[in-house]
């Protein structure tokens, strides 16, 4: 068993990047029967070596790490102080119990979105080491407590227990609750990461990382809406029923135990302690089981699948058979497959779909919206028409081989517009109808849909022109790099200029809708719907016709521009 240990140790375990040479010799030492106490300090030293060596030779990396550490300390210190000031407040228990639950959710899901943030989250790099799962779990748990995240969590845990601890019993419970809450969060994160490690290291896992920004944006909108509703409905008192349930969900039960002990409810505090310990034991068992399965089960992605391409949803089967035949259908299929399979294209589409619905719906729920905000979704998706050829990256050269003139360029642009419209048209009608239902403004629905479709057609028009005149490359590496170096001005100029031009193109329909509403002619505002449909169709057709000759003429320049990334 010495060969696997030497091989793995030479690469720097656990999951160490190049440069962890000091820790490599340590990792090769443990025997198959190594005990948790013997293995734990080794893994802690390896984690410290990863942190130390990762900062060598890169001033940017040092600056990012130490600024993150300082930010965590400052924010954690202020939150600890703020939570401490809740001591004696009647609703302090409700606040800190819910905070503990939110903290645990963050620990559970952040590894799914940022798997590259801690290389030791990938235990598959340890499968060649002669180590048993149980000692490995204990060692990984100890090394997981080293970092900025655990430090920030510790600050919040201390502040939470100070807010609710009263009397000697509360103080004793607080001393026990802090490590239990910290361990609960860390073990939960490790168990989730290990159970999904094959997903995290696959293409779908990288898609999750790309979509993390969307989740954060949607979460921020939900938090904003919840906070406004909370303050309008009477404050934390309205959350008492929720907190009564959450205080029995681990690891929030650790904080609930302190609150119960401070109130003299010792039986309830003991029950919450038992629930917390049982949950920790269950998570450790689940983590060890996932670790064992990972070490003895082959990766499913290396096992070949059977069946024909048609059985696996290949070309010509299922939904794709409903698309037009010829070049139009093939180009539509390619564009839609990019939206489903390419991480960056998928991120842009999902973000547009989510934000396009959140803005009008949440404004309607708050009573401050308008049925015309349904156009926001059409605008968000209309932006996807910009830089159509850059979305293909260097693969655009294969498409360029099929464009021999203006006619081919027009068909290519038209197919891409059809693919976008296939999703955007029903989506726009759905969002606008939902907004009208929430506002009970069915009379304004036809006009709102007409304005939205006119705006969509205008964006298809200007998007096609911008794609032909201002193409730019989208780098394939880096989740948050959407423009190649040196092309930022070109990208922003094309998008912002195109959006301004779209507003001007759709201005007649918008002006008609405004006039009918302000002149007290809402009973005939339905006429905006057919006018908007016709105007949008005419604008899109004109834009595609005008852009096609430019694409055919500047094809080598477009190919060069989109291939720079």
């Amino acid at each position: 068993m010495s060969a696997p240990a030497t091989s793995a140790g030479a690469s720097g375990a656990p999951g160490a990047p190049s440069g962890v040479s000091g820790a490599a010799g340590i990792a090769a030492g443990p025997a198959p029967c190594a005990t948790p106490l013997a293995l734990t300090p080794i893994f802690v030293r390896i984690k410290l070596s990863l942190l130390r060596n990762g900062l060598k030779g890169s001033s940017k990396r040092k600056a990012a790490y130490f600024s993150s550490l300082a930010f965590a300390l400052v924010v954690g210190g202020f939150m600890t102080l703020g939570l401490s000031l809740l001591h004696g407040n009647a609703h302090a228990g409700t606040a800190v119990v819910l905070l503990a639950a939110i903290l645990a959710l963050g620990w559970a899901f952040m590894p799914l979105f940022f798997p590259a943030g801690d290389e030791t989250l990938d235990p598959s790099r340890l499968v060649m080491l002669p180590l048993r799962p149980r000692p490995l779990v204990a060692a990984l748990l100890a090394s997981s407590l080293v970092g900025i995240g655990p430090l920030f969590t510790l600050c919040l845990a201390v502040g939470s227990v100070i807010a609710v601890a009263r009397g000697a019993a509360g103080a004793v419970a607080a001393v026990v609750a802090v490590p239990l809450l910290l361990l609960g969060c860390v073990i939960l994160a490790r168990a989730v990461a290990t159970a999904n490690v094959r997903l995290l290291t696959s293409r779908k896992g990288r898609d999750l990382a790309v979509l993390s920004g969307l989740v954060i944006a949607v979460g921020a909108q939900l938090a904003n809406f919840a906070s406004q509703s909370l303050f309008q409905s009477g404050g934390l008192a309205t959350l008492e029923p929720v907190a009564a349930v959450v205080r029995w969900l681990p690891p929030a039960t650790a904080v609930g135990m302190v609150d119960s002990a401070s109130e003299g409810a010792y039986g309830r505090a003991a029950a919450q302690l038992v629930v917390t310990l049982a949950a920790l034991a269950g998570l450790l068992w689940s983590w060890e089981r996932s670790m064992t399965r990972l070490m003895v089960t082959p990766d499913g992605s290396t096992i070949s699948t059977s069946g024909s391409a048609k059985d696996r949803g290949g070309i010509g089967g299922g939904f794709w058979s409903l698309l037009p035949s010829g070049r139009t259908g093939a180009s539509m299929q390619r564009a839609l497959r990019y939206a489903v399979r390419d991480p960056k294209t998928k991120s842009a589409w999902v973000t547009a779909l989510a934000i396009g619905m959140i803005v009008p719906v949440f404004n309607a729920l708050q009573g401050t919206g308008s049925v015309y905000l349904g156009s926001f979704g059409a605008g968000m998706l209309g932006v996807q028409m910009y830089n159509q050829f850059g979305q293909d990256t260097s693969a655009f050269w294969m498409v360029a081989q099929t464009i021999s003139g203006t006619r081919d360029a027009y068909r290519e642009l038209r197919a891409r517009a059809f693919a976008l419209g296939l999703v955007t048209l029903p989506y726009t009608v759905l969002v606008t109808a939902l907004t009208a239902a929430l506002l009970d403004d069915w009379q304004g629905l036809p006009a709102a849909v007409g304005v939205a479709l006119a705006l969509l057609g205008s964006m298809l028009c200007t998007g096609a022109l911008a794609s032909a005149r201002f193409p730019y490359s989208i780098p394939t590496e880096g989740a948050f790099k959407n423009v190649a170096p040196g092309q930022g001005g070109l990208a922003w100029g094309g998008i912002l200029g195109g959006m301004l031009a779209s507003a001007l193109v759709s201005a007649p329909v918008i002006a008609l809708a405004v006039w009918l509403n302000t002149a007290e002619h809402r009973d005939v505002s339905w006429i905006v719907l057919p006018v908007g449909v016709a105007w949008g169709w005419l604008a899109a057709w004109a834009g595609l016709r005008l852009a096609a000759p430019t694409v055919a003429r500047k094809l080598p320049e477009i190919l060069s521009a989109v291939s720079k990334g």
Side-chain angles (χ1 to χ4, degrees):
M1 296 296 290
S2 59
T6 303
S7 173
S11 61
S18 59
V20 191
S21 57
I26 299 174
C33 57
T35 63
L37 292 179
L39 197 60
T40 298
I42 296 175
F43 270 69
V44 172
R45 292 201 300 272
I46 290 176
K47 182 63 175 285
L48 293 174
S49 297
L50 287 172
L51 293 176
R52 182 178 63 253
N53 294 347
L55 299 176
K56 289 181 179 179
S58 175
S59 57
K60 292 182 179 180
R61 191 176 299 177
K62 287 181 181 179
Y65 179 80
F66 286 111
S67 60
S68 300
L69 178 60
F71 180 78
L73 287 174
V74 171
V75 175
F78 275 109
M79 292 196 69
T80 301
L81 178 61
L83 291 170
S84 302
L85 294 177
L86 289 177
H87 186 78
N89 188 286
H91 303 296
T94 299
V96 297
V97 164
L98 294 177
L99 176 62
I102 295 173
L103 190 64
L105 284 176
W107 272 93
F109 289 103
M110 282 303 102
L112 298 179
F113 296 128
F114 302 102
D118 183 358
E119 290 178 297
T120 63
L121 283 176
D122 184 5
S124 63
R125 303 189 181 192
L126 306 173
V127 295
M128 294 300 294
L129 291 173
L131 301 174
R132 297 186 183 279
R134 184 163 299 178
L136 189 57
V137 164
L140 287 174
L141 174 59
S143 64
S144 299
L145 296 174
V146 178
I148 297 176
L151 178 62
F152 181 73
T153 303
L154 180 63
C155 293
L156 296 187
V158 171
S160 297
V161 298
I162 291 177
V164 294
R166 298 183 301 276
V172 173
V175 173
V176 177
V178 170
L180 287 180
L181 178 58
L182 178 60
L183 288 173
C185 291
V186 174
I187 295 174
L188 178 61
R190 278 292 189 174
V192 172
T194 304
N196 295 277
V197 66
R198 294 272 166 78
L199 169 66
L200 298 180
T201 54
S202 66
R203 180 177 60 85
K204 292 182 179 180
R206 292 191 293 272
D207 291 353
L208 283 176
V210 172
L211 295 175
S212 60
L214 168 64
V215 175
I216 294 173
V218 173
Q221 291 287 343
L222 292 173
N224 178 52
F225 176 70
S227 61
Q228 291 184 10
S229 301
L230 177 63
F231 286 115
Q232 292 174 0
S233 59
L236 287 172
T238 59
L239 295 178
E240 289 287 353
V242 179
V245 175
V246 172
R247 68 176 64 248
W248 288 99
L249 300 177
T253 46
V255 179
M257 174 189 66
V258 180
D259 194 24
S260 299
S262 300
E263 294 176 354
Y266 302 121
R268 188 173 66 195
Q272 289 170 326
L273 176 61
V274 171
V275 171
T276 305
L277 294 175
L280 290 180
L283 287 173
L284 285 172
W285 176 82
S286 175
W287 184 8
E288 182 182 349
R289 183 181 176 88
S290 299
M291 186 77 72
T292 304
R293 184 170 61 249
L294 182 68
M295 289 182 165
V296 301
T297 306
D299 188 353
S301 63
T302 63
I303 302 175
S304 60
T305 57
S306 60
S308 63
K310 184 175 182 179
D311 294 336
R312 297 193 303 268
I315 296 175
F319 166 77
W320 308 119
S321 61
L322 302 177
L323 298 180
S325 59
R327 183 190 185 103
T328 299
S331 297
M332 289 179 66
Q333 183 176 160
R334 183 181 65 248
L336 293 172
R337 285 189 184 275
Y338 277 160
V340 174
R341 294 182 177 180
D342 180 65
K344 289 191 176 182
T345 307
K346 179 191 295 185
S347 175
W349 274 76
V350 175
T351 301
L353 289 169
I355 302 300
M357 178 171 287
I358 286 175
V359 171
V361 169
F362 274 45
N363 277 276
L365 289 173
Q366 293 173 346
T368 59
S370 168
V371 68
Y372 290 97
L373 279 178
S375 302
F376 190 82
M380 289 291 295
L381 283 172
V383 174
Q384 307 308 313
M385 187 64 188
Y386 292 78
N387 196 36
Q388 275 291 311
F389 306 126
Q391 296 175 17
D392 295 356
T393 63
S394 59
F396 177 67
W397 75 269
M398 292 188 293
V399 179
Q401 303 302 314
T402 66
I403 299 177
S404 59
T406 300
R407 183 181 180 86
D408 291 333
Y410 171 73
R411 289 180 174 178
E412 178 67 27
L413 286 170
R414 184 184 63 181
R416 293 172 183 249
F418 282 170
L420 183 60
L422 190 63
V423 177
T424 308
L425 287 174
Y427 171 82
T428 300
V429 174
L430 174 64
V431 171
T432 310
L434 180 59
T435 305
L438 293 173
L439 295 171
D440 195 21
D441 187 12
W442 294 106
Q443 187 179 13
L445 176 61
V449 173
V451 170
L453 296 182
L455 177 62
L456 174 62
S458 301
M459 297 196 75
L460 292 177
C461 167
T462 57
L465 292 171
S467 296
R469 296 182 179 274
F470 305 103
Y472 59 90
S473 176
I474 300 178
T476 55
E477 78 284 350
F480 304 103
K481 293 181 179 179
N482 294 317
V483 182
Q487 294 184 328
L490 185 68
W492 282 109
I495 293 176
L496 294 179
M499 293 177 68
L500 178 61
S502 299
L504 294 176
V505 172
S506 58
V509 179
I510 298 175
L512 175 63
V514 171
W515 178 76
L516 289 175
N517 280 276
T518 57
E520 299 182 357
H521 296 309
R522 291 203 72 188
D523 53 334
V524 294
S525 62
W526 59 266
I527 199 174
V528 178
L529 177 57
V531 171
V533 171
W535 190 271
W537 182 269
L538 179 63
W541 175 82
L544 296 175
R545 283 293 183 185
L546 291 173
T550 305
V551 172
R553 185 176 65 255
K554 300 178 60 177
L555 191 60
E557 300 175 28
I558 295 174
L559 182 59
S560 175
V562 302
S563 301
K564 287 184 178 180

